[in-house]
Amino acid sequence: MRLTALLFISALSTLSLSGCSVYDATHQPDKKDISLFKVGTPRSELLAEFGYPSAQTNHDGKTWDLWRFTQGYSGGVKASRAVGHGVMDVLTLGIWEVAGTPIESAADGTQMAYEVAYDKTQRVSDVAAIKK
């Protein structure tokens, strides 16, 4: 009876300790479709995928949109990472959080930036990868 109670209390404390790295893994930025940054893509598709541009400038006789975003991870990758952290939490009785949380904090996506110009029909005519 005592052993059962001890195991139950241990399981509860493990579950209450775990979760930060699991939560962080599931809340990483989503993966964006950067293949849209090509000649011929309508501006409306870029707006749908990336939101409004960070800035708009005029040079080389054209209007350019600057798109800055964090390239994240697909849903499958985020779920796999969360499951891995959860398993490690259980196996180590929550001690994994000491390593797992900083790992997830460091793996928070890649900063990217593209500059895009359009033709008269609002389709991409030029693309410059600024930060890839």
Side-chain angles (χ1 to χ4, degrees):
M1 182 71 163
R2 252 184 173 174
L3 182 60
T4 305
L6 183 60
L7 287 173
F8 180 74
I9 291 170
S10 294
L12 277 178
S13 62
T14 298
L15 290 174
S16 68
L17 286 174
S18 69
C20 288
S21 62
V22 173
Y23 176 86
D24 290 348
T26 59
H27 287 82
Q28 292 289 351
D30 293 327
K31 185 172 185 171
K32 303 287 187 181
D33 184 4
I34 61 172
S35 71
L36 294 174
F37 289 112
K38 66 180 182 219
V39 174
T41 301
R43 184 174 189 264
S44 59
E45 286 185 30
L46 293 177
L47 290 169
E49 180 69 14
F50 302 98
Y52 284 101
S54 303
Q56 197 171 65
T57 61
N58 291 305
H59 58 85
D60 302 328
K62 299 177 183 176
T63 299
W64 294 77
D65 283 339
L66 176 62
W67 304 88
R68 288 185 191 146
F69 59 94
T70 301
Q71 179 64 298
Y73 306 96
S74 68
V77 169
K78 292 194 291 187
S80 297
R81 286 167 52 173
V83 168
H85 288 299
V87 167
M88 290 303 294
D89 282 343
V90 171
L91 292 176
T92 64
L93 300 177
I95 296 172
W96 173 251
E97 288 302 317
V98 173
T101 300
I103 288 170
E104 283 305 315
S105 294
D108 59 352
T110 304
Q111 296 299 314
M112 302 187 88
Y114 287 86
E115 198 171 31
V116 179
Y118 307 96
D119 61 18
K120 294 176 205 162
T121 63
Q122 291 296 292
R123 292 186 175 272
V124 174
S125 64
D126 297 282
V127 177
I130 297 171
K131 190 172 186 183
K132 218 173 181 183

